[in-house]
Amino acid sequence: MNNNTTALTYSGETFNYREVKEMSTRIASSVNSEIAKQLKILSDFIRNDTFEMVKQHTAKAASAVMIPVIVFILPAMVCIVAGPLIIGVMSGDGGW
């Protein structure tokens, strides 16, 4: 290994970001090949990884929204719909 490859490998180990580690490893291993091609592959990898992470966060957010809807909005809707019916039955109008 020459000094550039060693430096890239160690710089990737220094950072805590997986993407930076992956990039430095790919560049260090592709000294004789085309770097642009390796960076294109890496960008596709990061894009797909980010897309999967967003999908996971979206799924968690959807389930987190259901709790306030059930606790606050559903009882209000029941009161709006059933309130006039109950008042009508109690007053003797039959509810309609």
Side-chain angles (χ1 to χ4, degrees):
M1 283 172 102
N2 62 15
N3 289 337
N4 291 338
T5 306
T6 306
L8 281 170
T9 304
Y10 287 137
S11 67
E13 293 172 1
T14 302
F15 294 103
N16 280 334
Y17 296 109
R18 187 171 51 97
E19 291 85 6
V20 175
K21 291 178 186 178
E22 182 73 24
M23 181 186 69
S24 63
T25 304
R26 284 186 183 267
I27 292 174
S29 66
S30 66
V31 173
N32 293 328
S33 67
E34 191 175 323
I35 292 178
K37 181 179 177 183
Q38 293 296 325
L39 290 177
K40 172 85 169 114
I41 293 169
L42 181 64
S43 68
D44 290 339
F45 172 74
I46 292 172
R47 186 178 307 113
N48 290 335
D49 195 37
T50 304
F51 183 71
E52 289 299 320
M53 183 181 61
V54 168
K55 280 183 13 181
Q56 289 175 357
H57 285 285
T58 304
K60 289 179 185 176
S63 63
V65 167
M66 287 304 293
I67 295 170
V69 167
I70 291 171
V71 170
F72 297 111
I73 296 176
L74 187 62
M77 292 298 293
V78 169
C79 289
I80 291 171
V81 172
L85 181 65
I86 293 171
I87 292 173
V89 168
M90 292 179 80
S91 66
D93 292 340
W96 297 106

